[in-house]
Amino acid sequence: MPAERIPEHAAPVSAARRRRLRADQARQLADLLRRQVLTGGFPGGVLPLENVIGADYRMSRNTVRQALDLLRAEQLVERQPGVGTVVVCEKYSHGLNRLQGLAETLLEHGQVTNEVRTVCPVPAPAPVAGRLGVPEHADVLYIERLRRLNGLPLSLDLTYIPMDIGSGLLGCDLENTDVFRLLERLTGQTLGTAEITLEAVNADAHSAAVLHAPRGAAVLMLERLTHLSDGRPVDLEFIRFRGDRISMSGLLHRTH
């Protein structure tokens, strides 16, 4: 009887499986568990026992422990004696599907309040002037706000607005109203489109202190240039979000 033929790909696949390090498996498992942590996937906020997680995902107990250590380092979970591993930090989803102010985006999660730290005209630096389409060193309105969700620091927003529009904001209630709503009211136009760049940066000493975050901690930096419906650039923002309190989400469509 002829020997059973082993598929040509079997040996490479087997070797690849053997080469996987526990750290790689732990990272993979942490990614899967993180999603459940952030979306309320564990009843009562308590994760299953380590051996249950291991059986569900076909991972060793040591790998499960290493994955949970990664989530603990992110301050998403902690170990409580007599209870197990519990969720201790909630992240709020910031949608990227629509152009909205922070209060509109996070409406279902609670109250957004603004601490207005600075409002004043400043000469436009070249990068700001170029993006807003104003002469270099022409005055623009600069606004710096610390934004809180349910009392907890969430983001530090630095905003530049052309002065012919920004001057109308000087008498407005910036503590309780999104700038987007005020811009639409002042211009009589709706906002149209926005160009965004999202990246992770280390918090400088000032930003960390204002956001009550560890110095050097990673924060999400969102740069957004917003246009009115007629195409005019009207609002350039640099927003630093606490990465442990917010996640970005969106629905993308593939076009052909």
Side-chain angles (χ1 to χ4, degrees), residues 34-45 87:
R34 184 186 298 105
R35 175 65 179 172
Q36 292 178 274
V37 166
L38 298 179
T39 57
F42 296 114
V87 178

Side-chain angles (χ1 to χ4, degrees), residues 16-229:
R17 285 175 176 162
R18 286 197 302 271
R19 285 197 300 269
R20 289 199 66 202
L21 300 176
R22 184 190 299 162
D24 297 329
Q25 295 176 315
R27 189 184 314 110
Q28 174 194 6
L29 179 56
D31 288 343
L32 298 173
L33 295 175
R34 184 186 298 105
R35 175 65 179 172
Q36 292 178 274
V37 166
L38 298 179
T39 57
F42 296 114
V46 180
L47 277 66
L49 297 175
E50 292 174 356
N51 63 328
V52 174
I53 295 175
D56 287 344
Y57 291 94
R58 298 183 180 182
M59 301 281 188
S60 71
R61 192 160 187 173
N62 284 337
T63 299
V64 173
R65 287 175 177 169
Q66 195 166 344
L68 294 177
D69 284 343
L70 293 175
L71 298 182
R72 274 193 287 270
E74 297 176 28
Q75 300 182 338
L76 293 177
V77 302
E78 69 178 23
R79 182 80 178 174
Q80 293 185 357
V83 178
T85 301
V86 299
V87 178
V88 294
C89 180
E90 181 180 6
K91 284 194 177 186
Y92 302 100
S93 178
H94 185 297
L96 296 176
N97 297 335
R98 297 181 61 194
L99 181 54
Q100 294 181 308
L102 191 66
E104 296 171 312
T105 303
L106 300 179
L107 179 63
E108 64 183 278
H109 297 299
Q111 182 181 12
V112 174
T113 56
N114 307 307
E115 176 188 326
V116 181
R117 298 173 57 83
T118 304
V119 183
C120 63
V122 298
V128 172
R131 305 283 313 271
L132 289 176
V134 301
E136 189 172 339
H137 305 309
D139 277 354
V140 293
L141 185 68
Y142 173 72
I143 306 171
E144 180 175 315
R145 294 168 296 162
L146 171 62
R147 316 198 70 184
R148 293 185 173 92
L149 178 61
N150 299 326
L152 294 176
L154 182 64
S155 70
L156 180 63
D157 298 17
L158 281 58
T159 305
Y160 299 88
I161 298 172
M163 202 62 203
D164 62 312
I165 298 174
S167 59
L169 294 175
L170 291 173
C172 293
D173 183 6
L174 295 171
E175 291 188 354
N176 300 296
T177 314
D178 270 342
V179 169
F180 278 3
R181 287 189 178 275
L182 295 173
L183 290 175
E184 290 181 324
R185 187 184 307 165
L186 288 170
T187 64
Q189 292 189 54
T190 59
L191 297 176
T193 60
E195 306 159 29
I196 64 171
T197 301
L198 182 65
E199 60 182 325
V201 300
N202 292 330
D204 60 275
H206 173 256
S207 298
V210 172
L211 290 170
H212 298 177
R215 184 172 180 176
V219 295
L220 289 176
M221 164 69 88
L222 177 67
E223 179 180 334
R224 179 170 60 193
L225 177 63
T226 302
H227 303 256
L228 293 172
S229 57

